[in-house]
Amino acid sequence: MKIMPLERRGISDSRLALGCMGLGGSWNQTETYTAEHVRQAEAAIEAALSIGITFYDHADIYTRGKAESVFGEVLKKQSKLREHIVIQSKVGIQLADEALPGRFNFSKEHILPSVDGILERLGTEYIDILLLHRPDPLMEPEDIAEAFTQLKRSGKVRNFGVSNMSPGQIRFLQRELPDPIVVNQLEMSLLRHDWVDHGIHVNQKAGLKDNFPEGLMEMMQMEHIQIQAWGPLAQGRFSGKVTENATEAEIKTSALVQQLAEENETTPEAIVLGWLMKHPARIQPVIGTVNPERILACRDAVRQSERMTREQWYTLLVSARGVNMP
């Protein structure tokens, strides 16, 4: 059986990751986290562990650092947990304030103290993977390489990756980096299916409207870069959430997902994730919910990815596209 790139590298065999953006309360800078927020984090982590999720995705900006802080509180309470999980975090986004707009910063001067902040909030000596959080137009690979080298030598970061980057941007960075880029995190789901459409639309007029980077899926598979999907549950649009602006394609696809879930005696969440995970790239979905019930509803995703037929996969895709294959 084909394995995930992260497993090939000996980093993680967790087919699902838990996204921790919803931890820590509000994004209000003046509000602090509470004991209830810590309990919420404990419940989410417990639910994730119970279904085999050992990979946890953070970013230094999530609820302005509070997501990492409450996760760190859980690690303090469960001292042996750290050695059994993989923690990933991201740097590079600076949020807007009264004086300046939101912006990106991949400078060595920003990366190094940002990682120190991550480690302090999490209460850990290292993180397993550090991602650059979205492309910075002013990024200088040599400067980034110096930061990464220092972080690796100090033992603060073990592996490095990126998010939302094109093949050209990845190659531009990799040329200078001493270690391989092991992850690229992208928005991918049954709703956000342009990553599939781009390949289908080769030599088609419909391809003129495609926005997905040329050759990205193929390049990451050839280079054994783990594709991580953020937003894989599509905000619940196909698993029970009712939205006023739902398209006809979304309504029909939601009904089809429910039908397949009933036929396979599973949950809509497992079908939606299973569709994504069936792709040969061995995509690792980063589920964004911290609701224990919804986390548990993802339990059967791996099995559904293995059981899903080509016919079912294409039927879901065509339904979500709202148009037939070319």
Side-chain angles (χ1 to χ4, degrees), residues 17-316:
L18 183 68
C20 297
M21 186 171 68
L23 299 178
S26 78
W27 286 66
N28 189 319
Q29 194 168 10
T30 61
E31 294 181 8
T32 60
Y33 66 87
T34 66
E36 179 57 35
H37 293 134
V38 176
R39 285 193 288 272
Q40 180 194 41
E42 286 181 299
I45 294 169
E46 181 180 350
L49 289 170
S50 74
I51 64 171
I53 297 177
T54 57
F55 194 109
Y56 297 85
D57 175 72
H58 287 272
D60 60 351
I61 64 166
Y62 288 168
T63 57
R64 296 183 179 272
K66 289 178 284 188
E68 290 173 334
S69 293
V70 296
F71 200 94
E73 295 284 359
V74 177
L75 292 179
K76 287 180 187 177
K77 291 184 176 183
Q78 303 180 33
S79 58
K80 294 183 179 180
L81 177 60
R82 179 66 186 96
E83 61 189 86
H84 298 294
I85 63 175
V86 170
I87 297 178
Q88 170 177 284
S89 195
K90 314 179 197 73
V91 297
I93 293 181
Q94 292 182 287
L95 299 173
D97 54 34
E98 294 180 359
L100 294 168
R103 57 210 182 276
F104 307 125
N105 191 341
F106 288 179
S107 68
K108 177 182 175 182
E109 291 72 24
H110 179 75
I111 292 172
L112 294 179
S114 294
V115 171
D116 287 339
I118 290 169
L119 297 178
E120 181 179 358
R121 289 187 293 273
L122 288 171
T124 184
E125 295 180 353
Y126 71 95
I127 55 172
D128 298 277
I129 308 174
L130 176 70
L131 303 188
L132 296 175
H133 205 172
R134 296 189 178 275
D136 175 11
L138 299 180
M139 64 183 176
E140 298 184 45
E142 298 85 356
D143 194 36
I144 295 169
E146 288 183 15
F148 282 8
T149 298
Q150 189 169 326
L151 290 169
K152 185 73 175 284
R153 287 177 179 171
S154 66
K156 293 178 180 179
V157 179
R158 295 184 173 179
N159 302 280
F160 301 92
V162 298
S163 71
N164 306 288
M165 286 201 185
S166 70
Q169 290 167 327
I170 292 173
R171 293 191 184 101
F172 182 57
L173 283 172
Q174 189 65 81
R175 181 190 62 182
E176 298 294 335
L177 299 184
D179 295 292
I181 290 172
V182 302
V183 167
N184 189 13
Q185 195 173 105
L186 305 159
E187 184 179 8
M188 306 170 80
S189 67
L190 190 54
L191 178 68
R192 179 67 185 271
H193 46 73
D194 53 348
W195 55 280
V196 181
D197 291 342
H198 185 77
I200 293 171
H201 288 158
V202 171
N203 202 33
Q204 301 288 326
K205 287 185 178 179
L208 297 174
K209 299 179 181 179
D210 287 342
N211 190 38
F212 195 78
E214 176 72 34
L216 181 56
M217 293 297 294
E218 294 79 10
M219 178 257 196
M220 290 192 290
Q221 291 176 80
M222 289 189 293
E223 299 296 329
H224 305 299
I225 298 173
Q226 181 67 58
I227 302 172
Q228 291 180 342
W230 62 269
L233 290 170
Q235 297 78 49
R237 285 176 181 263
F238 303 125
S239 51
K241 182 178 180 180
V242 178
T243 56
E244 294 181 1
N245 61 342
T247 65
E248 182 179 355
E250 289 173 20
I251 294 170
K252 289 182 177 180
T253 305
S254 181
L256 179 58
V257 167
Q258 184 62 45
Q259 177 188 329
L260 288 172
E262 292 173 359
E263 290 175 356
N264 289 277
E265 298 181 339
T266 191
T267 63
E269 288 86 354
I271 296 296
V272 171
L273 294 176
W275 179 85
L276 192 63
M277 296 163 71
K278 185 174 178 61
H279 192 276
R282 303 292 281 179
I283 296 165
Q284 183 185 42
V286 181
I287 58 177
T289 181
V290 293
N291 180 325
E293 291 185 4
R294 288 203 72 207
I295 294 171
L296 294 174
C298 301
R299 181 194 305 272
D300 199 31
V302 174
R303 188 171 73 99
Q304 292 307 315
S305 71
E306 295 168 349
R307 295 182 58 181
M308 188 172 292
T309 66
R310 273 179 166 268
E311 290 72 24
Q312 290 171 332
W313 192 88
Y314 271 103
T315 299
L316 283 166

